[in-house]
Each structure stands twice: as C-alpha cells, then as structure tokens.
Amino acid sequence: MSDQKLNLLNLSAPRIRLLHLSWLAFFITFVVWFSHAPLMGHLRDAFDLTPEQIKALLILNVALTIPARVVIGSLVDRFGPRLVFGSLLMLAALPCWAFALSTTYEQLAVTRLLMGFVGAGFVVGIRLISEWFPAREVGLAEGVYGGWGNFGSAAAAITLPSLALLYGGDDGWRWAIATTGAVAFVYGIFFLWRARNTPQGASYFKPKKASALEVSSKKDLFFYLAMSLPLYIALLVIVWRLGPTNLNLFGQTTQILLAALIISLAAVQLGQAWRVNRDHLKEGVPEHDRYSFKQVAILDLAYMVTFGSELAVVSMLPLFFTDTFSLSAVTAGLLASGYAFMNLVARPGGGWVSDKFGRKKSLAILLCGLMVGYGLMSQIGSSWPIALAVIATMCCSFFVQAGEGAVFATVPLIKRRLTGQIAGMVGAYGNAGAVIFLTILTFVEPSTFFLVIAASAAVALAAVQFLDEPKGHIAEIDEKGDVQLIEVG
C-alpha cells in the first residue's frame, strides 16, 4: 500500500475507492446541513419571517454541532466509521424531511436545531481515512476528504434554487430540501454496503472506554477538563443570543432552563472524564501507550481560528460586499462564493504541504499567512477596486483552508485508537470559534472583526511553537493483546 503514489484516478486501488466513497458521504451531509441557506428567500415568503427569525434559524443550524462532534467522535472509536457514517446519513433524512414538511416557525426552528447533528459527519471520515493511508500521505488524503466534502455547502447554494424552480409551485423549495434527505438516506445504505473500517487484515483499535478521552497523566487530565469548558461556554453564548434580550426566540424561563441543561450536561461530561481517567491513571499508563494532550489543545486552538473564522466569514461576507460596494444581493453572493470555492484546492494543498515539509512548520507558516490575510481584509473599503477586494479575500481564504488541512493532517498521528474523539474535540472547537467570532461581529464593525480574527491567529501561532512534530511510531494493542507499531513520521 505504501509503495504507490497517491493517484486519485486509480479506482482499482481499494484505498482510493474508499477515499472517494468517504468524501462523497461528507459532501452529502453538508448539502443536507446547508440545504436551507440558499432557499431562505422562499422560506421568508412562505412563513413571513422577520430578520431576527432568520438569524435565529442560522444560529440553530450550527448549535448542536458542537456537542454532536464530540459524541460522534466517541461513537466512531467505539463502533467504527462504517456503521456510524452509514447510520448518520440515513438518520439525517428524518429531520430534513420534517423541516421540508414544517407548517409553523416553531417546527422550522426545532428541525433546524436537530439538523445540526448532521454537521458532525465530518469527524467520521477523519478516523476512516487515517486507517487506510500511511502517515506520509495522510495529510493530502484528509485534505481531499475535507476540502471536497466541505464543498457540499457551496454545491447546495448552486443547485438547490434551480431544483426548487424545476419542481415549481409554492412548494418547490420543500421538494428541493426533501430531495437532499432522500439522497442522504440512499447513500447511507450504499455506504454501509461498500465501506470497510480498515484494509483487509488490519486491526481496528478501540479505546478501553469511549465515554471520555483517555489521557496519560494527571496534569493532562486537568488540561483536558479546562479545554472542555469553552465548548459549553459557546453553547451558553448561543442560548443568550437566542434569548429575550437578543433574537427573542424564547422567553426568560426557557433561557434559564436551557442554560441549566447545558451546565448539567457539562457537569455530567466532566464527571465522566474524571471517572474514566481516574481509574485509567490509577493503574498507570505504560510508556508505549502515552501521548501528550498538549498536542490536542494546540490543534483545538488552530482549528478554532481556521475553520471557526471560515464559518463566520462565509456567513457575513455577502452582506459585507453588499454594504461596502453597494452591490445587489445576487452579485455580492457570487463574489463572496469565491471564498468557499478555494476549499477544493486549498485544503488538500494544506495537507500536501504538511506531508511534504513537516506538520509544525507548515501549520505555523499557514497561520502567518492567515494573520496577514485578515489584516489585509480589515483594510477593505469602498475606495478599493472590487476585483482587488475579491483577490484579497481569496488569498486570505487559501491560507484559512490550507490551515484546516494542516490541522487535520496532524490529528490522526497523535493516538490512533482515540482519533475519532480527538477529531471530535478539534472539530467542535471549529464550530465554537464560529459562534464566538459571529457574536463579536454583533458588537463591532467588520474591519475590527477581521482584526480580532488576526489577533486570535497570533495566539494560535504562539501555541503552535509548542507542538511536537510527530515522529517515529505510536503503539497500539490489538485484540490479541500484541503491541503493534504505527508509523507517524
């Protein structure tokens, strides 16, 4: 397997077929997840939505993805990617169809909230791809998976309005959204039939307990608990944004109940992490089984800045172009879509650079580029030629998405049996970053918003200096009790 070059057209190779099978599954989850966005005009007309209600739907769409990515990561490590991805695709159809059949705003809101779970599909493929590709190719393979799959949101924006027109009538938008659910359901069955967790003869390593991430020392346990808190803080921010003093989706009583629920969830999850690791650390962790949680924490911060800023900027860019250059909504949307289009090459590019020139150095250079890019975007004003503003945006976008590729080129090389949980936590930080950046945007001008992201990138860049370059081998114990060595650098 490791002697051949990574040729994406070589469909006779099982790992290449698996890569295409995986990115397409991820692509479909994103089409379903963002199926509402390009049809928001139809939704507004059909339900007579206010601007506040539209904003609330956009926030609800990403809210559950934060805890869902952590949960899905644990399920992947425990049950394997084939079963989890196939099941998730089939289950995604249910809230999707319910959303298409909604007759009240409340039904739209609840089904959109549930759709957030679909956004966790990304995590599954990270573990799956790492099982099939050697360390020297895993960055490019994960980059292709992430970049091409991520394009599902842009594909939804391009195709669904035309599909709604094709169906015609007042319910064309409903049929268009329902179709994405049907595609997900059918592909879920196909994925269960065709996918395999590992190449033939390879072991699938499972964590001893999948209810919380295992760490290697008491210091790492406290570090893990501290790094879990911002995810719950991001959820509390969402509840505050949707509450009576902001978007007024619900009253104060509901807000207090939801906040209490999140705090209880945090207490249960942190308690679980403590129990799993207390027993685990009491027995002592053998030297060959240790890993440094510092690696996970640094990648959390890097992904918060890269993917977090991508989600936030994609949400605000069309309006930013409309207001800055007095453009029509259609023109501004088209120009802003250049940011998402970079995914097709930038994310695989970041993974390839990481494979070729080292994980730490590549991530540091890409974060530098991202910092300069957002600094440049903060200077965009109405006196700029529009073409120059679009070029600056796309250059910045390249570093953002290549940075995402570099982060997930490193994730699978930390601890194989925990890859799903590590990917889940890093992925959740990306969503939490989007919530934090979009909340900041409600208080400041776009130029300051871009500068805040640049400053956050400087913090992540400082943290990356403490990242240990993966080298040598990591050890895992197979089902027979034998130690197997997996090359990571």
Side-chain angles (χ1 to χ4, degrees):
M1 184 170 81
S2 55
D3 298 336
Q4 305 162 331
K5 278 199 165 181
L6 187 60
N7 176 2
L8 296 173
L9 300 176
N10 181 17
L11 296 178
S12 61
R15 67 197 178 125
I16 301 299
R17 289 202 301 273
L18 187 280
L19 175 57
H20 289 301
L21 194 69
S22 303
W23 77 255
L24 196 50
F26 174 36
F27 177 93
I28 290 168
T29 62
F30 259 50
V31 170
V32 174
W33 189 23
F34 286 102
S35 59
H36 67 304
L39 300 170
M40 203 53 95
H42 294 275
L43 284 158
R44 184 173 56 196
D45 295 344
F47 292 87
D48 199 21
L49 301 180
T50 65
E52 281 69 31
Q53 286 175 321
I54 290 170
K55 283 179 191 168
L57 283 180
L58 296 176
I59 293 170
L60 285 167
N61 196 50
V62 297
L64 260 192
T65 313
I66 297 171
R69 285 190 163 183
V70 176
V71 171
I72 291 289
S74 293
L75 293 175
V76 170
D77 287 341
R78 189 170 183 180
F79 298 109
R82 175 184 158 272
L83 182 63
V84 175
F85 223 159
S87 305
L88 184 69
L89 281 160
M90 291 165 73
L91 288 171
L94 302 178
C96 181
W97 290 334
F99 183 80
L101 293 169
S102 295
T103 53
T104 66
Y105 176 70
E106 287 70 28
Q107 288 169 359
L108 286 179
V110 170
T111 49
R112 256 308 118 192
L113 178 68
L114 294 174
M115 287 299 292
F117 225 88
V118 183
F122 163 70
V123 172
V124 187
I126 296 299
R127 171 84 199 243
L128 184 56
I129 300 296
S130 72
E131 296 288 340
W132 282 82
F133 288 84
R136 62 184 182 80
E137 293 177 347
V138 79
L140 177 55
E142 297 281 16
V144 168
Y145 166 75
W148 293 10
N150 224 338
F151 193 68
S153 57
I158 295 162
T159 58
L160 290 183
S162 303
L163 190 60
L165 274 175
L166 204 63
Y167 279 122
D170 293 342
D171 290 336
W173 67 270
R174 294 183 187 275
W175 285 105
I177 289 174
T179 302
T180 66
V183 170
F185 190 85
V186 171
Y187 195 79
I189 296 168
F190 181 71
F191 192 87
L192 286 170
W193 174 45
R194 298 301 299 166
R196 294 292 172 267
N197 288 333
T198 59
Q200 205 167 2
S203 298
Y204 187 79
F205 303 106
K206 296 182 180 182
K208 296 181 186 88
K209 290 179 180 172
S211 52
L213 190 65
E214 297 166 22
V215 295
S216 303
S217 68
K218 202 163 256 184
K219 183 182 83 177
D220 276 0
L221 174 55
F222 288 112
F223 200 178
Y224 169 38
L225 295 175
M227 287 300 290
S228 298
L229 286 174
L231 300 178
Y232 297 103
I233 291 167
L235 288 174
L236 289 171
V237 168
I238 289 171
V239 169
W240 167 73
R241 283 284 287 126
L242 295 172
T245 54
N246 277 274
L247 296 174
N248 203 20
L249 182 66
F250 41 68
Q252 199 167 7
T253 310
T254 307
Q255 189 178 38
I256 291 165
L257 283 172
L258 287 172
L261 183 67
I262 291 165
I263 292 164
S264 305
L265 185 68
V268 168
Q269 191 54 46
L270 296 177
Q272 191 71 21
W274 179 265
R275 277 189 298 279
V276 164
N277 283 290
R278 183 189 56 195
D279 302 338
H280 169 67
L281 295 172
K282 234 179 232 172
E283 297 160 15
V285 182
E287 192 56 44
H288 69 77
D289 205 23
R290 288 173 170 266
Y291 77 97
S292 173
F293 181 78
K294 170 188 76 173
Q295 302 284 85
V296 182
I298 292 165
L299 295 173
D300 285 345
L301 292 178
Y303 205 62
M304 185 176 96
V305 170
T306 53
F307 187 66
S309 71
E310 182 193 342
L311 273 187
V313 172
V314 162
S315 303
M316 60 76 73
L317 206 54
L319 195 60
F320 173 69
F321 276 149
T322 301
D323 293 347
T324 307
F325 299 107
S326 305
L327 302 171
S328 72
V330 174
T331 310
L334 256 168
L335 294 177
S337 70
Y339 192 97
F341 264 90
M342 291 303 289
N343 253 317
L344 291 171
V345 289
R347 197 154 176 160
W352 178 82
V353 167
S354 193
D355 288 341
K356 211 81 176 148
F357 303 106
R359 315 294 170 189
K360 181 176 178 176
K361 190 198 296 179
S362 301
L363 187 52
I365 290 168
L366 293 168
L367 281 170
C368 278
L370 180 152
M371 202 163 58
V372 172
Y374 279 121
L376 191 62
M377 283 183 71
S378 74
Q379 301 305 306
I380 294 174
S382 54
S383 60
W384 279 46
I386 294 176
L388 192 60
V390 172
I391 291 167
T393 302
M394 290 182 79
C395 287
C396 179
S397 165
F398 176 83
F399 285 104
V400 170
Q401 288 153 10
E404 293 162 15
V407 168
F408 275 96
T410 313
V411 164
L413 306 177
I414 296 172
K415 193 67 184 155
R416 175 61 63 85
R417 73 169 185 271
L418 305 174
T419 298
Q421 290 175 84
I422 293 169
M425 187 173 194
V426 174
Y429 255 85
N431 281 77
V435 171
I436 291 160
F437 291 138
L438 284 172
T439 303
I440 288 166
L441 181 60
T442 59
F443 296 107
V444 299
E445 291 298 309
S447 58
T448 310
F449 163 75
F450 293 130
L451 284 175
V452 167
I453 299 174
S456 308
V459 174
L461 179 61
V464 166
Q465 306 316 306
F466 298 96
L467 189 73
D468 299 326
E469 182 71 30
K471 54 180 185 280
H473 296 80
I474 50 175
E476 291 292 1
I477 298 164
D478 64 20
E479 56 270 19
K480 296 173 191 163
D482 299 329
V483 175
Q484 288 195 22
L485 295 177
I486 301 157
E487 190 182 348
V488 294

